[in-house]
Amino acid sequence: MGNETTLMTEKVEGRTLVLGISGSPRRGGNSETLLDEALLGAHEAGAQTEKVILSALKFSPCISCGACLKSGVCVQKDEMQGLYAKILATDVLIFASPIYFYSVSAWTKSAIDRCQALWARKYVLKDQYFKTQKKGYFIAVGASKGNQLFEGAKLVMKYFFDATGYTLAGKLLVDGVDGKEEILKYPEYLKDAHRLGAEAIGL
């Protein structure tokens, strides 16, 4: 189903390409499990799918050098360069993260901060690529049940999607789930994720 390498997937003509990004440091955790189910739903609906594990990539945080404001290109030559290409090339983006301290994970936030280069292309350099908004989806799992558990993360993801050429079209937010593989006790959430993946490509 998914390819976890940093190489660019060659898109199959006529098929919707759906990219899933997992921002959890824990492999096989709850948010990644829901992401896998969403990608399965998209795949079964006819899409071509690919998955990226941020914790498997080698990249540094944004150093706020400002170079991208002039060129739209990040000066740090690491594996974020490959992720930029994937984000730009895919048709639909599904981003999954656990909730830490009422926001996204450190892996997720570091990758988002590095997307300042794409923000610069859109808003400073007025790159015509970004005239068409694509669909983005957010999956998050948090351990607590606080009333505002997802508020910070939703804002982060809303503006990340906007900066990278997407509109936040849907989300799946699950609270009260913490232990590894605990999400498997809740088949209704797995079904919701599967449905999200299918709906992401219009089915």
Side-chain angles (χ1 to χ4, degrees):
M1 179 185 65
N3 181 341
E4 298 175 14
T5 71
T6 60
L7 298 176
M8 193 61 230
T9 294
E10 183 177 349
K11 184 177 178 180
V12 177
E13 185 176 356
R15 295 182 66 185
T16 300
L17 178 58
V18 179
L19 175 65
I21 301 177
S22 173
S24 177
R26 180 171 66 179
R27 291 304 316 271
N30 297 310
S31 61
E32 186 182 349
T33 298
L34 291 178
L35 177 61
D36 286 343
E37 196 63 35
L39 291 176
L40 178 61
H43 177 75
E44 290 180 350
Q48 178 184 350
T49 62
E50 182 177 2
K51 183 171 72 171
V52 170
I53 306 297
L54 291 181
S55 64
L57 301 184
K58 295 180 180 179
F59 66 95
S60 300
C62 176
I63 58 175
S64 195
C65 66
C68 66
L69 299 178
K70 297 178 181 180
S71 65
V73 177
C74 182
V75 298
Q76 298 192 73
K77 304 306 180 185
D78 53 23
E79 292 188 321
M80 273 300 298
Q81 301 295 335
L83 185 56
Y84 293 146
K86 292 176 187 291
I87 290 172
L88 293 174
T90 196
D91 300 306
V92 176
L93 177 56
I94 306 175
F95 211 135
S97 174
I99 298 298
Y100 291 162
F101 285 90
Y102 282 62
S103 189
V104 294
S105 72
W107 284 104
T108 300
K109 189 58 168 60
S110 290
I112 287 174
D113 288 351
R114 285 288 302 278
C115 287
Q116 178 75 358
L118 300 184
W119 177 90
R121 284 181 57 178
K122 179 177 181 179
Y123 284 109
V124 179
L125 303 177
K126 309 299 183 183
D127 191 324
Q128 293 301 301
Y129 166 86
F130 296 96
K131 289 187 70 175
T132 301
Q133 293 286 99
K134 298 182 286 187
K135 293 190 296 184
Y137 295 83
F138 179 44
I139 295 173
V141 181
S144 73
K145 288 182 172 290
N147 291 333
Q148 299 184 52
L149 177 62
F150 300 106
E151 294 309 303
K154 286 193 295 184
L155 279 174
V156 170
M157 298 309 300
K158 175 184 176 180
Y159 290 107
F160 160 75
F161 281 128
D162 176 76
T164 54
Y166 295 82
T167 297
L168 180 55
K171 51 189 177 291
L172 174 58
L173 309 175
V174 178
D175 61 6
V177 176
D178 188 21
K180 186 175 183 180
E181 298 182 351
E182 187 177 345
I183 196 68
L184 298 177
K185 299 178 182 178
Y186 301 92
E188 65 271 26
Y189 293 135
L190 298 175
K191 291 179 181 178
D192 287 342
H194 194 278
R195 187 181 307 113
L196 180 150
E199 291 177 351
I201 62 169
L203 298 179

